Amino acid sequence: MPENPFFAPSGLPYELPPFADIREEHYLPAFERGMAEQLAEVDAIASSSEPPTFDNTIAALERSGRILDRTATVFFSVSASNTTDGLMEIEKEISPKLTRHSDAIRLNRALWARIKQVTTADAEESWLLEKYREDFIRAGADLSEPEQDRLRALNEELSKLSTEFAQSLLKAGTESALVVTDPKDLDGLDEAKVESLRKDDGTYVLPLLNFTAQPALAQLTDREVRRRLYELSVGRAPGNFAIAAKMAALRAERAALLGFPSHAAYVVADQTAKTVEAVEEMLGQLVGPAVRNARKEAEALAEQAGFDIEPWDWPYYSEKVRQARYEFDGAAMRPYFELNRVFRDGVFFAATKLYGITFAERPDLGGYHPDVTVFEVSDEDGSPLGLFVLDPYARPTKRGGAWMNNLVDQSFLFGLRPVVMNNLNVTKPASGPTLLTYDEVNTAFHEFGHALHGLFSQVRYPRVSGTSVPRDFVEYPSQVNEMWVTWPEVLANYARHHETGEPMPAELVAKLTAAETFNQGFKTVEYLAATLLDWAWHKLAPGETVADPEAFEAAALKAAGSDFPLVRPRYRTNYFAHIFSGGYSAGYYSYIWSEVLDAESVEWFKENGGLTRANGDHFRRELLSRGGSIDPLAAFRNFRGREPGIEPLLKRRGLL
């Protein structure tokens, strides 16, 4: 297939993948050729008669596998954002093959012997060399042949189960959707939203988003409809319980094979936290105050409702209490949050103020779907920086949540500038402007924080480019970027009425600011319950199995002190994509761990004048540009000037 677009670098600017030329039949041949080519390159490195050096071993590994890298990057980006039955079949076939391919490299004894002999005096090379050594050891390079055989089997089985979990969950988003025939059942949702849910057969279908408390629960006035929606949410994809339990047991066995007492211990050893005890100490400081706050909030909600509320009532009555206590109505803000203005006059505006970068839409560059928009990003002096790709809308073919990924990694080794992508899941209206909720605006700024981490990367090697940092550090820069959502200069620039152009009234802004700590008990308990659930699954001892996953959930939350019936985990086991199909296993604690660093950094920005170029340049130089090329906590200390403390986080969440 000489016409296969993956066989040569893209000819588009910044090597943006040529989506218009890519067809489903291109993927498997490109995967097969890419894997074969990389294995040949690796064999040449491993069998070389020359003494091992950084350039002929580590840098050579960095240069290997270019076809495979291009193919896998595009395939997994598109299959997450706009999948088809064909792509899902390809994923089932290719995922175990990719696992075997990775094992063939990491368990190559001759290659490992050469890596162990490499030395270098260069600081960035030394850091990368250490990362490679850790990668190979953690992949089982020092195991015996029988142990490696068992490891290969475990990795392949886990790969298959992860794909099965993800595809089941994707289908459940529509198969378990709320379906009504009378639009009156959707009373509380705005007219445009209801119209967007209407199907050709006259029914109205509200698909599930990938967390427990569906956003519509805050608006739907019919309590019975709220109950139905909530129970559909928590009960979706029931077959995933068994898949999750099996994956947890296999991960525990793999951890033991690699010399760790649990999968949690295996994962955290490679993170900034380093130990299970460090994570549990931090979580232990938060659970008690969070549950106490949530119980107080529940009392206020029951008083507002006039009866003992249920979990599906919490979002609805929390809005009522918020309105009564702060005279704040979240729905009143939506006319001021139009999607394009939020990005161009909010997200981009803040980035220009902080870093001097500018954005120009490139209609000549397309994506894999008509809703995708490409922007060229330039530095202050006009020099090219990279591309930013935005895919904002939800669709049945897109997985839930919001995320950032690189389509092209920055590296000086290949002379490549970054191409970064943000995916959101905003409901597309049937007509008219796209109006966002406050939470969706916050998510837009958050994901763009990840994008900045990728765009500002200035490293030599792809392995440490951009967001290639520990899981419990990667959320930190994105969380810092959320601070600009309500920064007065930024908010005044983008929060304008979509019809009149009038700025958001000062009193509404004041109410938003006053209400920011409201419902933090719920939000913190919801998050911590999911974190503790992740932790419980991945602290299973080798050989320990779970026959009843739902009973296991309940027992785990009770043991951790977070079993508050009115606040279920943000993700239950059956739809916890982060940990069973998204790479965050034993790592969901990362968000709160990163928030400790984030809260410290927000304090620094405020102490030093806020939205200034000097502050942006300092953050960019010391942290965002370094990617994973240095110790992440050293990068934090270089930026902040001290070790992090937990007090700013406790203050922010109202937990003091």
Side-chain angles (χ1 to χ4, degrees):
M1 296 181 67
E3 77 283 2
N4 193 309
F6 293 115
F7 289 172
S10 168
L12 295 175
Y14 303 89
E15 293 196 17
L16 175 73
F19 291 108
D21 299 330
I22 296 170
R23 300 189 301 278
E24 284 186 9
E25 58 263 33
H26 291 138
Y27 286 114
L28 281 175
F31 271 122
E32 297 292 350
R33 177 166 165 176
M35 288 187 287
E37 182 181 272
Q38 187 173 32
L39 287 180
E41 292 166 336
V42 167
D43 285 343
I45 297 167
S47 61
S48 172
S49 59
E50 297 179 359
T53 65
F54 185 91
D55 185 67
N56 70 21
T57 304
I58 303 301
L61 285 170
E62 288 288 284
R63 287 189 287 264
S64 72
R66 300 307 293 156
I67 289 177
L68 181 58
D69 181 66
R70 286 193 293 269
T71 308
T73 297
V74 172
F75 176 79
F76 288 106
S77 295
V78 175
S79 64
S81 304
N82 193 37
T83 197
T84 64
D85 290 342
L87 291 179
M88 292 173 75
E89 288 303 313
I90 293 171
E91 187 171 6
K92 288 180 183 177
E93 179 177 348
I94 204 63
S95 290
K97 290 183 178 180
L98 290 172
T99 299
R100 289 196 294 271
H101 175 76
S102 177
D103 284 343
I105 296 172
R106 300 286 176 85
L107 302 180
N108 184 316
R109 294 191 182 279
L111 177 63
W112 177 224
R114 287 183 66 84
I115 291 173
K116 288 190 285 188
Q117 296 177 61
V118 173
T119 61
T120 177
D122 179 89
E124 187 171 343
E125 290 180 356
S126 294
W127 181 257
L128 180 61
L129 176 59
E130 185 60 28
K131 291 289 102 183
Y132 262 90
R133 286 175 173 161
E134 289 175 2
D135 288 347
F136 273 69
I137 291 170
R138 290 172 60 80
D142 283 333
L143 297 180
S144 67
E145 286 292 344
E147 289 172 328
Q148 287 189 351
D149 288 343
R150 179 56 185 156
L151 183 65
R152 290 185 180 95
L154 287 169
N155 288 340
E156 186 169 340
E157 180 66 8
L158 282 165
S159 175
K160 292 177 181 177
L161 290 170
S162 177
T163 300
E164 188 178 342
F165 186 99
Q167 294 189 355
S168 170
L169 184 55
L170 178 66
K171 291 177 181 177
T174 51
E175 290 176 355
S176 298
L178 176 73
V179 180
V180 301
T181 56
D182 188 345
K184 292 179 181 178
D185 289 341
L186 301 177
D187 181 60
L189 302 183
D190 66 60
E191 189 175 329
K193 173 73 172 178
V194 173
E195 182 60 25
S196 72
L197 303 177
R198 187 166 61 86
K199 303 302 177 185
D200 292 340
D201 63 0
T203 62
Y204 296 80
V205 179
L206 181 63
L208 298 178
L209 300 182
N210 200 36
F211 32 77
T212 296
Q214 299 294 304
L217 292 171
Q219 286 91 42
L220 291 167
T221 61
D222 189 314
R223 193 180 186 211
E224 175 60 17
V225 174
R226 291 201 303 269
R227 183 195 62 77
R228 286 175 55 202
L229 176 59
Y230 183 87
E231 292 185 347
L232 286 167
S233 179
V234 298
R236 77 187 93 167
N240 277 356
F241 279 115
I243 296 173
K246 187 172 183 180
M247 290 182 71
L250 293 176
R251 285 169 173 169
E253 181 185 349
R254 183 175 63 184
L257 198 59
L258 294 167
F260 293 88
S262 67
H263 182 70
Y266 167 77
V267 168
V268 79
D270 194 37
Q271 303 298 303
T272 65
K274 298 300 182 187
T275 67
V276 166
E277 291 75 20
V279 175
E280 292 179 345
E281 180 183 358
M282 182 201 62
L283 296 177
Q285 295 180 65
L286 299 172
V287 172
V291 171
R292 284 195 295 274
N293 275 19
R295 290 188 185 281
K296 291 178 183 177
E297 291 168 1
E299 291 172 3
L301 302 190
E303 184 178 346
Q304 175 72 33
F307 53 81
D308 291 336
I309 64 168
E310 296 288 349
W312 48 85
D313 296 317
W314 191 299
Y316 183 78
Y317 285 103
S318 68
E319 281 302 307
K320 296 295 184 187
V321 172
R322 192 198 309 263
Q323 291 175 28
R325 188 174 295 176
Y326 302 101
E327 297 181 347
F328 174 78
D329 180 5
M333 303 187 76
R334 291 192 67 203
Y336 297 91
F337 293 151
E338 191 274 322
L339 174 68
N340 288 320
R341 190 180 284 267
V342 165
F343 269 94
R344 295 169 194 264
D345 297 340
V347 174
F348 294 169
F349 173 79
T352 300
K353 284 288 185 179
L354 272 173
Y355 308 110
I357 59 176
T358 55
F359 302 81
E361 187 173 345
R362 291 290 304 265
D364 57 313
L365 299 178
Y368 48 80
H369 190 277
D371 289 338
V372 173
T373 306
V374 180
F375 298 88
E376 185 168 19
V377 188
S378 301
D379 237 322
E380 186 176 32
D381 62 1
S383 60
L385 187 62
L387 294 179
F388 172 65
V389 181
L390 177 63
D391 182 358
Y393 291 116
R395 46 185 170 266
T397 57
K398 183 191 261 191
R399 68 175 171 88
W403 66 95
M404 169 268 187
N405 61 286
N406 281 10
L407 293 172
V408 178
D409 289 322
Q410 177 275 329
S411 77
F412 296 136
L413 181 68
F414 295 116
L416 291 175
R417 295 186 174 91
V419 178
V420 303
M421 182 173 178
N422 277 177
N423 267 276
L424 307 178
N425 259 289
V426 176
T427 300
K428 188 174 185 179
S431 60
T434 302
L435 304 180
L436 307 184
T437 66
Y438 174 69
D439 284 346
E440 288 170 337
V441 173
N442 205 66
T443 298
F445 276 81
H446 175 98
E447 295 304 330
F448 194 73
H450 286 306
L452 290 170
H453 205 175
L455 284 167
F456 287 150
S457 178
Q458 290 284 291
V459 301
R460 272 183 268 174
Y461 302 104
R463 167 65 178 78
V464 292
S465 179
T467 55
S468 300
V469 297
R471 285 288 188 191
D472 58 5
F473 191 82
V474 74
E475 298 298 334
Y476 155 50
S478 57
Q479 289 171 336
V480 171
N481 206 57
E482 293 175 27
M483 73 176 290
W484 309 117
V485 173
T486 55
W487 196 261
E489 184 180 357
V490 179
L491 188 68
N493 200 62
Y494 76 87
R496 294 179 172 271
H497 198 281
H498 71 98
E499 292 178 335
T500 67
E502 290 296 312
M504 184 181 290
E507 59 270 21
L508 193 55
V509 176
K511 290 172 184 176
L512 168 63
T513 304
E516 277 190 311
T517 59
F518 176 75
N519 212 35
Q520 279 297 324
F522 172 89
K523 291 178 180 178
T524 308
V525 170
E526 179 191 50
Y527 166 78
L528 289 174
T531 300
L532 293 162
L533 198 55
D534 170 29
W535 209 241
W537 277 115
H538 293 115
K539 282 192 70 180
L540 289 180
E544 186 178 359
T545 58
V546 174
D548 186 342
E550 294 191 72
F552 176 84
E553 276 191 350
L557 296 177
K558 184 175 182 179
S562 60
D563 56 332
F564 186 32
L566 294 181
V567 184
R568 303 286 283 277
R570 181 171 174 81
Y571 305 102
R572 291 190 70 204
T573 299
N574 45 320
Y575 47 96
F576 209 159
H578 282 77
I579 67 171
F580 292 114
S581 62
Y584 271 74
S585 60
Y588 195 63
Y589 79 91
S590 301
Y591 290 91
I592 202 81
W593 186 274
S594 293
E595 195 178 347
V596 172
L597 308 179
D598 154 38
E600 277 272 19
S601 301
V602 169
E603 291 291 311
W604 181 91
F605 272 102
K606 290 178 177 178
E607 291 166 3
N608 288 275
L611 191 75
T612 69
R613 282 299 315 285
N615 287 346
D617 287 346
H618 179 59
F619 193 50
R620 175 178 178 175
R621 180 179 61 253
E622 299 296 345
L623 203 139
L624 294 177
S625 70
R626 307 305 298 272
S629 65
I630 66 170
D631 177 72
L633 289 182
F636 172 82
R637 289 190 295 269
N638 292 343
F639 163 70
R640 185 66 176 99
R642 71 180 192 211
E643 297 288 340
I646 199 170
E647 290 77 14
L649 170 65
L650 296 175
K651 179 181 177 183
R652 170 192 289 185
R653 286 187 171 250
L655 300 179
L656 289 173

